[in-house]
Amino acid sequence: MSVGLWIQIILNGVAMGVLYSLPALGISLIWNATGLFNFAQGDLLTLGGYVMLTLFGMMKLPYIVSFVLTLAVMGLVGYFISRIYFYPMLEHRVHPQIILIGTVAASVFIRNLILVIWGTMPTTFKNPFGTKVMNLGGIFLMPHVIWILGIAAGLLILLQYILRGTMVGTAMRAVAQNQTAAWLMGIRNDRMIALTFCMSTAIAAVSGILITPIIPLTPDMGGLISVKAMAAVLIGGLGSFSGTLIGGIAVGVAETVFATLVTPTYKDVFIFLVLVAFLLARPGGIFRAHVSEKV
Amino acid sequence: MNNLRVFWNRYGLLIVAVLLLLVPQFTTQYEFYVVQRGVQNAMLVLGLVILIGYTGLMTLGSAALLATGAYTYGILLLRLGWPPLLGTIGAVLVTTLVGTLLGFPAFRLSGPFLVVTTVGFGEIVRILILNWEPLTRGPYGLSGFRAVMPTTRGVYYVMVVVLALLAVVTERIGRSRLGLAMKAVKEDEVAAEVMGVNVRRVKLISNALTAALAGLSGVFLASLTGYLNPDSFTANESTTYLLMVVMGGMSNVVGSVISSLFVTVLPEVLRFLAESRLLVYSLILLVYLRIYHVRSSKARAKSAGSRGRS
């Protein structure tokens, strides 16, 4: 195979991987803040995609407007999920296993809500970036690949700025580090955790919006994507920002390369085997997050 | 009230079993089929009582074990021409083996990490069934094998008796040395290890038992429907089983049997829910977890003396 073709495959893989990284980042953020592993992340992503479908595909709003509106709506959804559901359970120290079951139930609930509202037919909306293949010096790429990479990069920089450069972000990180100490410093834990949920849901929604040119929307697409996102989180290192990003890209590239070189049928199996191997050999992931809960 | 509870604890299972044995007398053919599915689901849920309720290992791969049992039965009968009884034994053995292998990741992983592994396992099994066409006929589905017993009624009575036996055994396991070890592992692994419990062995055994029950349930599923399709073993099914065991009270045997029957039969009673069945279930589960567990941990905090908020 020529070098150009390789670059093409890898760039496609990176674009796919970034889309896994975004929900994975959400999982990582929530894990840091609350010690809760959100199994509903993939379905929140799907919900974001469907909200976009309604705003952009059906109501014909301009792309930018519907993008921002979707983010706002999904952010609110995340905020309220935390306020009315997960924070009260965390506050009363409900057994972590019960909360875990709660996130699984939330995932099923959202999936079936989508099914009831929008139906089971795979749908998609017009690709806003155009469908003409671009030729960059012998490398053929769809324009959305470039756009995905650009938007994701911008989003990640924005996210880093919010977390590192603003008061709210600092407060969020303080809550993630030590809830009691943060509380004593006058930080409202409930608000910060709700904000974390809000942020991670909004990031997942970005991924749900951008993924539609690649994968059509179906109510249960969240399942497979969330497993990939979890793989990204665990391979990269749960709780680590750059680890999650790299883990997602690794999953995306590995999947695309495997699909091209070996067979697309078993690409998901391949990813799971890699994940299991990682969990057994290096449970902390590439960036060695702390997995063990005690001792 | 207290007497009633003692009475229920002693005879609850017997009452349920007798009611189940009477069911074929006054149901239509379709209703009968639904009840059969309920009994078959209850077998798998008993396994989950051991794994989730006793040992505290979460799983979302139960549908994959069910599929392993069902497909092994079908393949053994169709391709190798084994008689049904031998096929049943073979299927249960194969599923147990697969399930025990699934126990090994549980040595090092806990909580969400373990759940992700089981989700991955579920997807692998589903994809393999879908694509391994020479053996499973993939999306076309597998059919044409014989049922466990010649008559439907016969199968049903066997199922109810087996279920009752399994329920008694599960209950006894819960109170045995092994069951206490499992519960110790659930509460605190390190403390259990210090007390001389072989944590790895306990985890392997509970995985094996769960898998055996799932395999048996799969055999009866294959025998009931006579047709197997990869679409009936999705992650949604695993979640439904999880719902059944949680609604049953996690480690309550009779409760789990009743909740599996209830959750299976409910959509037939409430036909208008057909489309949104899982929506309603998950909502019930969400509300139940939120209200019941927050209240019970409030009560716990109160009885432990007020420590103030954290």
Side-chain angles (χ1 to χ4, degrees):
Chain A
M1 264 192 271
S2 70
V3 181
L5 198 56
W6 268 107
I7 296 177
Q8 207 171 302
I9 293 168
I10 289 177
L11 272 180
N12 278 319
V14 171
M16 199 65 228
V18 168
L19 294 179
Y20 295 144
S21 286
L22 294 179
L25 270 178
I27 294 178
S28 211
L29 280 174
I30 292 178
W31 170 266
N32 269 348
T34 63
L36 174 129
F37 197 96
N38 190 6
F39 277 88
Q41 197 74 5
D43 300 286
L44 288 169
L45 179 155
T46 321
L47 187 61
Y50 272 96
V51 171
M52 186 69 180
L53 172 75
T54 308
L55 292 174
F56 179 67
M58 293 177 189
M59 290 164 67
K60 308 282 180 214
L61 295 175
Y63 190 74
I64 311 272
V65 176
S66 31
F67 194 102
V68 173
L69 269 179
T70 308
L71 253 59
V73 169
M74 291 309 294
L76 272 180
V77 169
Y79 188 83
F80 279 108
I81 286 180
S82 168
R83 276 322 270 268
I84 61 178
Y85 202 75
F86 289 113
Y87 188 73
M89 287 174 88
L90 290 165
E91 192 189 6
H92 290 291
R93 300 178 170 220
V94 174
H95 196 282
Q97 198 190 18
I98 302 290
I99 305 186
L100 199 67
I101 296 174
T103 68
V104 174
S107 143
V108 180
F109 180 74
I110 296 168
R111 190 175 301 178
N112 285 280
L113 190 70
I114 294 170
L115 196 136
V116 169
I117 298 178
W118 282 282
T120 46
M121 280 300 285
T123 40
T124 185
F125 45 80
K126 198 173 110 265
N127 189 344
F129 310 120
T131 47
K132 229 175 83 197
V133 178
M134 295 194 302
N135 183 354
L136 303 169
I139 303 165
F140 296 93
L141 284 176
M142 294 292 285
H144 59 241
V145 173
I146 312 274
W147 275 97
I148 287 171
L149 291 176
I151 293 175
L155 187 74
L156 290 172
I157 293 168
L158 181 70
L159 204 63
Q160 272 293 351
Y161 170 70
I162 293 176
L163 281 175
R164 305 267 157 192
T166 63
M167 271 309 266
V168 178
T170 314
M172 279 164 73
R173 284 188 298 131
V175 171
Q177 242 172 37
N178 187 332
Q179 291 206 9
T180 318
W183 180 261
L184 291 173
M185 294 298 123
I187 297 170
R188 286 279 299 266
N189 285 352
D190 52 346
R191 276 193 201 149
M192 289 308 141
I193 287 175
L195 265 182
T196 312
F197 265 89
C198 166
M199 239 164 83
S200 62
T201 315
I203 312 171
V206 172
S207 177
I209 294 168
L210 293 179
I211 212 165
T212 33
I214 305 178
I215 304 173
L217 288 169
T218 52
D220 44 11
M221 79 175 190
L224 202 58
I225 292 174
S226 74
V227 179
K228 300 274 178 61
M230 290 170 204
V233 164
L234 298 178
I235 289 175
L238 187 52
S240 144
F241 193 96
S242 38
T244 312
L245 187 62
I246 290 171
I249 292 173
V251 169
V253 172
E255 177 186 285
T256 317
V257 169
F258 185 85
T260 325
L261 289 189
V262 191
T263 159
T265 320
Y266 291 108
K267 65 176 184 181
D268 297 331
V269 174
F270 173 68
I271 294 298
F272 294 133
L273 290 180
V274 170
L275 170 66
V276 171
F278 249 95
L279 281 175
L280 293 179
R282 206 180 161 89
I286 300 173
F287 281 70
R288 278 246 176 244
H290 293 287
V291 177
S292 57
E293 278 153 28
K294 63 179 161 186
V295 184
Chain B
M1 188 60 209
N2 213 9
N3 279 337
L4 200 65
R5 178 163 292 171
V6 171
F7 177 78
W8 176 248
N9 279 344
R10 193 164 296 164
Y11 298 110
L13 186 65
L14 194 67
I15 296 171
V16 174
V18 170
L19 282 179
L20 280 177
L21 285 176
L22 289 177
V23 158
Q25 306 301 331
F26 45 84
T27 48
T28 64
Q29 201 175 0
Y30 182 68
E31 288 164 353
F32 182 45
Y33 169 75
V34 174
V35 175
Q36 282 176 305
R37 285 299 308 271
V39 173
Q40 171 255 319
N41 284 336
M43 284 181 201
L44 192 148
V45 172
L46 280 181
L48 291 184
V49 167
I50 296 177
L51 192 68
I52 300 178
Y54 293 170
T55 320
L57 298 173
M58 266 278 288
T59 176
L60 280 177
S62 33
L65 288 175
L66 183 74
T68 313
Y71 267 94
T72 313
Y73 176 78
I75 289 165
L76 285 179
L77 259 66
L78 272 184
R79 310 267 183 244
L80 300 179
W82 288 19
L85 191 63
L86 218 57
T88 306
I89 296 170
V92 172
L93 281 180
V94 168
T95 317
T96 312
L97 198 69
V98 174
T100 316
L101 289 181
L102 203 56
F104 283 96
F107 289 170
R108 297 188 59 170
L109 306 171
S110 65
F113 306 95
L114 188 60
V115 182
V116 174
T117 323
T118 61
V119 172
F121 168 72
E123 284 296 319
I124 289 176
V125 169
R126 200 179 59 82
I127 294 169
L128 280 183
I129 290 176
L130 201 59
N131 292 306
W132 202 345
E133 287 194 16
L135 205 61
T136 62
R137 278 203 273 167
Y140 305 110
L142 197 67
S143 60
F145 43 82
R146 273 188 295 155
V148 179
M149 294 257 164
T151 63
T152 323
R153 288 241 173 145
V155 179
Y156 179 71
Y157 289 128
V158 169
M159 272 167 73
V160 172
V161 172
V162 169
L163 178 69
L165 281 177
L166 288 176
V168 172
V169 169
T170 312
E171 173 88 50
R172 302 291 297 198
I173 287 178
R175 280 184 281 141
S176 73
R177 202 182 155 80
L178 177 66
L180 293 178
M182 287 171 173
K183 287 170 185 171
V185 170
K186 180 187 185 180
E187 289 304 321
D188 193 325
E189 261 179 54
V190 180
E193 185 90 61
V194 170
M195 290 301 172
V197 172
N198 189 339
V199 175
R200 295 188 165 200
R201 217 186 89 206
V202 167
K203 283 184 176 177
L204 273 191
I205 291 176
S206 36
N207 266 300
L209 287 174
T210 306
L213 288 179
L216 192 64
S217 177
V219 169
F220 282 118
L221 174 68
S223 151
L224 269 180
T225 55
Y227 171 72
L228 297 170
N229 185 300
D231 286 345
S232 13
F233 305 103
T234 57
N236 270 341
E237 303 304 312
S238 296
T239 325
T240 313
Y241 289 122
L242 183 67
L243 173 101
M244 288 173 187
V245 68
V246 174
M247 299 291 276
M250 304 276 267
S251 53
N252 184 334
V253 170
V254 183
S256 298
V257 170
I258 293 176
S259 90
S260 351
L261 288 171
F262 186 73
V263 171
T264 318
V265 175
L266 194 65
E268 306 307 324
V269 182
L270 307 169
R271 272 300 169 78
F272 56 92
L273 282 182
E275 186 86 324
S276 52
R277 173 175 67 96
L278 279 167
L279 185 75
V280 176
Y281 285 177
S282 52
L283 188 63
I284 294 172
L285 184 60
L286 281 171
V287 172
Y288 164 78
L289 291 175
R290 167 77 171 78
I291 291 175
Y292 176 76
H293 283 280
V294 166
R295 197 199 290 145
S296 68
S297 50
K298 258 184 196 164
R300 206 165 55 230
K302 210 170 271 176
S303 69
S306 56
R307 284 177 304 182
R309 60 176 303 159
S310 57

